[in-house]
Amino acid sequence: MFAPMTNLFSGDPSTNGTILFLILVGATVLSWPLSRPVVRWVLKRRTDQPQPGERLSWFLHRAGAGFFWPILAAVLALVGLLLLPGAAPLMERVGVLSAIWFLAVFQIISASFLAFVQPGPPRRRIRRLVVPAVIMLAVLDHVALLDSILTWLDEPLFTIQGTPISVLSVLTAVLIASLFMLAAKALGDFLANRLLPRLGVETALSDALGSVSRYILVIAGFFVAAENLGFNFTSLKIVLGALSVGIGFGLQNIVNNFVSGLILMFERTIKRGDILQLHGTTGKVLAIGLRSSIIRTRAGHELIVPNGDLIASQVDNMSFKDTLVRVDVPLGVSYHADPHQVRDLMIDMARKHEAVVVDPPPSVNFQAFGESSIDFELRVWVHDVWRLPIIRSDLLYGAWYALKDAEIEIPFPQRDIHIRSGSLAPGPETQ
């Protein structure tokens, strides 16, 4: 029963593949807990998620910290190989360490997902799929089966314009396209949020250049991947002809939104961070894409607005040139109140609010003689456009307490009924 297992460990230990593989696995498992304190200490200098403009540096920092595990595993495995008895020279023994590079590749892939893929269940599922795939590749490489499997996957399935297409070529094309997409996201984020703002470029133009560079790199990746599959670009005019037919039949809105996105990016009438009022809804622009823009409302909802709507509709950009806006607060007081006293109280109350600017100064307008009150309107100027409802509420609170402390009545609608003396005509029931 134990004879086959004994044969696995027989012979010279320095040339026994099973023993060398166990040393490699043991060093890898042992180095994991030993490397964690150092990795955690290194990662403390960075946030859990990359901030805008820091994706590339965050990825390099995360991948560099992850390399400590395979490096320590290689060192421990090397020590074990040196202490292993046998006649094999050192260069033959260390050949088993080639499997460690799969561990380094896994760290790069893991850092890439964390840096460039949005958090959520899809990212976790992909990472869980990558771990067994990398382990399987390492095992196949150790048992010298990886080259045979790659040769089998490279067998042509069919041909396109004389170019053989295999499973390996398709996987390679997908890998190339994925790498270009990750690089495009890193480059666009770096240009829009780090490099161009430091060069003094406006935020809107930085976003536009970052988005354009990202899409250019993605398109370049598509062409490189297609070329790897043997796609003949002389037939590109056929694709363009089919695309024009598609535009004529149902892609007008997509093309319209795409062109509108380019106009918004370079015209810069709407840019990231602006406060917009569109169709009665107020929100802050989070991002402007080539097809749609994302607007976050005060209620926390994120609206996906097609760019064509922002171009064709009338949009109130409350922070286009500057963020200085006026807040109007109507109020009414009793006819017994002194209008000048009311004006002075409201101006003094408004000046005490931290959001109200000094220039232009607050003012109070006498609006009208109402049915139950004399009507005023307090007008103040503020810079915080996003907090307008809160500032307005604060001013209403302040007006209430200021008028109450001054014993000035805030009237409510009421009617006085005067009954004239006389007798009523007798009704039918009284006759």
Side-chain angles (χ1 to χ4, degrees), residues 256-325:
N256 177 38
N257 292 325
F258 178 81
V259 175
S260 299
L262 293 177
I263 294 174
L264 289 174
M265 288 179 181
F266 289 98
E267 192 178 41
R268 291 176 287 170
T269 52
I270 298 176
K271 54 188 180 295
R272 179 163 55 93
D274 281 352
I275 310 298
L276 305 182
Q277 191 169 20
L278 179 67
H279 304 313
T281 302
T282 303
K284 180 183 294 185
V285 179
L286 298 183
I288 298 178
L290 285 180
R291 189 196 65 84
S292 61
S293 299
I294 303 176
I295 298 178
R296 183 180 181 84
T297 66
R298 288 192 175 98
H301 303 161
E302 294 183 354
L303 305 179
I304 311 299
V305 181
N307 291 328
D309 290 353
L310 298 177
I311 292 294
S313 304
Q314 180 176 344
V315 179
D316 182 8
N317 192 338
M318 305 172 69
S319 56
F320 177 51
K321 290 296 184 181
D322 56 47
T323 57
L324 186 64
V325 295

Side-chain angles (χ1 to χ4, degrees), residues 153-154 156 158-180 219-233:
L153 292 177
D154 200 27
F158 53 89
T159 59
I160 296 179
Q161 297 179 350
T163 302
I165 302 298
S166 63
V167 175
L168 184 61
S169 63
V170 173
L171 294 176
T172 304
V174 172
L175 179 61
I176 291 174
S178 301
L179 292 177
F180 269 89
I219 294 173
F222 167 77
F223 280 109
V224 173
E227 186 177 2
N228 182 77
L229 288 175
F231 184 79
N232 186 4
F233 290 105

